[in-house]
Amino acid sequence: MKTFLCLLTVLSACVTLVSMQMVGGTSDLKAPDETVMQVTASVRPTVEERLGKRFSIFQPVAYKSQVVAGRNFFVKVHVGNDEYIHLRIYQNIQQQTQLSNVQTGHSRESNIEYF
């Protein structure tokens, strides 16, 4: 019975995610919401460590998402002056996040693409 309830919960979460957007494709460009602000803040230390610098500004400005076995967030982050970076952040069904990739050298006008 517990296995059935667990499976039902996971299935329900998947149906909710699927109803939000098509599985596999990225969403349209959106302004960051509270979830994106939180997942971006959660990976900031890893980004700074990976890039070998600390940022005085770390502000998400736009994002796209992709439904997978969880969710990928493709986030454009303002990191000071005219400098922007793109982050790919994975969030699993249990809401745990991890930094998947970072791209540097972007501008305010750079398109967010799958990477």
Side-chain angles (χ1 to χ4, degrees):
M1 184 66 169
K2 284 184 180 183
T3 303
F4 175 75
L5 290 176
C6 183
L7 180 59
L8 188 59
T9 302
V10 170
L11 199 56
S12 175
C14 289
V15 167
T16 300
L17 287 174
V18 169
S19 68
M20 293 181 346
Q21 73 184 61
M22 183 178 75
V23 175
T26 58
S27 69
D28 293 332
L29 190 65
K30 300 176 189 176
D33 58 17
E34 188 60 35
T35 299
V36 171
M37 301 294 264
Q38 289 174 353
V39 299
T40 302
S42 75
V43 299
R44 180 178 182 166
T46 306
V47 172
E48 291 177 335
E49 181 181 326
R50 190 177 290 185
L51 297 179
K53 60 168 90 169
R54 304 213 17 105
F55 299 107
S56 58
I57 297 171
F58 200 82
Q59 183 66 41
V61 295
Y63 80 100
K64 291 182 177 183
S65 62
Q66 176 190 39
V67 174
V68 290
R71 242 170 129 187
N72 281 322
F73 295 93
F74 300 90
V75 186
K76 179 183 294 197
V77 180
H78 180 225
V79 291
N81 299 317
D82 292 327
E83 190 178 352
Y84 293 80
I85 60 175
H86 289 184
L87 307 178
R88 182 173 50 160
I89 304 165
Y90 173 68
Q91 184 178 56
N92 67 23
I93 294 173
Q94 291 80 28
Q95 308 300 303
Q96 298 165 321
T97 59
Q98 70 181 40
L99 179 67
S100 298
N101 205 347
V102 180
Q103 291 182 334
T104 59
H106 286 284
S107 68
R108 175 94 177 152
E109 294 76 28
S110 297
N111 290 326
I112 300 173
E113 303 293 340
Y114 181 92
F115 63 97

